[in-house]
Amino acid sequence: MNWISNYVRPKMGNLFSRRDTPENLWQKCPECSSMLFHREVKDNLNTCPNCDHHMAINATERAKSFFDGGLFTKIAVPEPLADPLSFKDQKRYQDRIKDARKKTGTDDAMLIAEGDLDKLSVVVAIQDFTFMGGSMGMYVGNAIIAAAQSAVEKKSPLILFSAAGGARMQEGILGLMQMPRSTIAVEMLKEAALPYIVVLTHPTTGGVTASYAMLGDVQIAEPNAQIGFAGARVIEQTIRETLPEGFQRSEYLLEHGMLDRVTHRKHMRDEVSIILRMLMKKDARVSGDLPKPSETNDETTE
């Protein structure tokens, strides 16, 4: 009997079993294929520290990184009809909703919250692509209206982060009706002379792009985000031409006048804060909570 192979080796194997090692410690960057430590990615706001590729980030994590101290209060959204068309394909629509809620821990594809951004009260709407591709259904329409109403009531600006594959097919025409509904919500902000800033993230397509995502007073996008209405392949098949390199990406749209800024996720807080203070004619923010400089010159004594 070989005690080394029959006794020692199994014991050592149990001590260093792979079951004791978490499987999600490392992840591969989809752009440069670098192996990244998960904590490093999280601290870098889900962007690759090597190539700056912007990975997906859920609505809650984005809200925590955007508001002062990560503190915010959710705004209630009226619950729409559960399944107005009794839709069923490979699975019932109600079952898809239940599965998505269980997977993401959210009610639907948009989070509405209020809080402070550099001590300026703001209302923020964040579309979550992890919930059924961020698709625009009646809940999303209700959420945008609730966000606009809250912003008008509090006299606060509205910042919207878009991320969607378009309207939700399981709601048919009712999903498409959220385009004019959300447009009316944006008009409420304009009538109240309140800023509406849109941050387009990857991807923002379909009816979302054709409505509230392109109606901001200022249009900002994250780097290399896909932004468009129809897909590039569909466009090429329709016009029978090869599209230029970088078509429907943030940098291409900025170059052709469709966007105002392309901003790294790490700098988004500062960028939006500065723009809001300019639009609302507020005093410039002071770093480090220092008191505002006196307008009168201090007398010096010799």
Side-chain angles (χ1 to χ4, degrees):
M1 177 178 178
N2 191 330
W3 68 275
I4 294 179
S5 59
N6 294 341
Y7 180 78
V8 176
R9 188 171 294 173
K11 286 293 184 181
M12 294 292 291
N14 289 334
L15 287 174
F16 299 99
S17 173
R18 291 178 60 88
R19 291 177 297 177
D20 299 331
T21 304
E23 297 181 355
N24 59 345
L25 287 179
W26 298 86
Q27 66 183 83
K28 181 185 289 187
C29 172
E31 186 68 21
C32 67
S33 299
S34 299
M35 293 303 297
L36 307 171
F37 186 52
H38 75 100
R39 184 60 60 86
E40 183 181 20
V41 174
K42 184 176 181 181
D43 292 343
N44 213 39
L45 299 181
N46 278 34
T47 61
C48 177
N50 296 322
C51 68
D52 271 341
H53 174 69
H54 283 51
M55 307 176 198
I57 182 171
N58 64 44
T60 302
E61 289 300 318
R62 189 183 289 276
K64 289 180 180 178
S65 68
F66 191 75
F67 287 103
D68 291 351
L71 302 176
F72 59 91
T73 302
K74 291 184 180 180
I75 296 175
V77 176
E79 191 73 26
L81 294 174
D83 187 4
L85 304 180
S86 299
F87 191 93
K88 181 181 179 181
D89 44 28
Q90 296 176 340
K91 186 186 295 186
R92 293 193 313 158
Y93 178 42
Q94 291 188 27
D95 293 336
R96 290 191 182 277
I97 291 289
K98 290 178 182 178
D99 292 344
R101 287 177 175 174
K102 183 178 180 180
K103 178 181 177 181
T104 63
T106 58
D107 294 330
D108 211 284
M110 184 165 280
L111 169 69
I112 309 297
E114 59 178 329
D116 291 337
L117 173 63
D118 278 339
K119 299 184 178 180
L120 184 66
S121 177
V122 296
V123 176
V124 178
I126 305 174
Q127 210 155 0
D128 195 338
F129 194 78
T130 61
F131 193 103
M132 295 184 68
S135 50
M136 176 181 60
M138 291 188 294
Y139 186 98
V140 170
N142 288 352
I144 296 174
I145 291 174
Q149 290 175 336
S150 180
V152 171
E153 179 183 343
K154 302 176 186 301
K155 297 182 179 180
S156 299
L158 174 61
I159 302 105
L160 186 141
F161 291 83
S162 65
R168 186 169 297 178
M169 59 170 286
Q170 290 87 352
E171 296 185 12
I173 189 64
L174 298 175
L176 293 174
M177 281 299 296
Q178 307 317 306
M179 295 171 63
R181 290 187 75 212
S182 60
T183 302
I184 292 172
V186 174
E187 286 300 316
M188 292 168 54
L189 295 166
K190 296 186 182 298
E191 290 177 1
L194 293 170
Y196 172 53
I197 295 180
V198 178
V199 180
L200 299 108
T201 71
H202 178 77
T204 299
T205 59
V208 172
T209 310
S211 55
Y212 58 86
M214 296 302 291
L215 296 176
D217 299 312
V218 179
Q219 300 285 136
I220 308 174
E222 290 185 339
N224 202 37
Q226 181 183 0
I227 302 165
F229 182 69
R233 184 177 61 181
V234 174
I235 297 174
E236 285 187 332
Q237 291 175 348
T238 302
I239 66 175
R240 297 181 181 180
E241 291 184 13
T242 301
L243 297 174
E245 185 177 356
F247 183 76
Q248 289 189 334
R249 295 291 174 169
S250 303
E251 293 75 12
Y252 183 91
L253 296 181
L254 176 65
E255 183 180 347
H256 289 78
M258 295 292 290
L259 297 175
D260 298 303
R261 304 281 287 177
V262 174
T263 304
H264 195 287
R265 189 177 293 166
K266 292 189 295 185
H267 307 307
M268 195 64 70
R269 267 179 51 87
D270 293 339
E271 185 91 359
V272 174
S273 173
I274 292 171
I275 292 173
L276 285 179
R277 290 182 179 277
M278 291 174 60
L279 293 177
M280 301 184 74
K281 299 180 180 179
K282 299 284 187 180
D283 293 334
R285 66 193 184 101
V286 180
S287 300
D289 292 332
L290 295 175
K292 180 181 177 181
S294 174
E295 296 180 0
T296 58
N297 295 327
D298 295 333
E299 295 181 359
T300 58
T301 57
E302 296 183 358

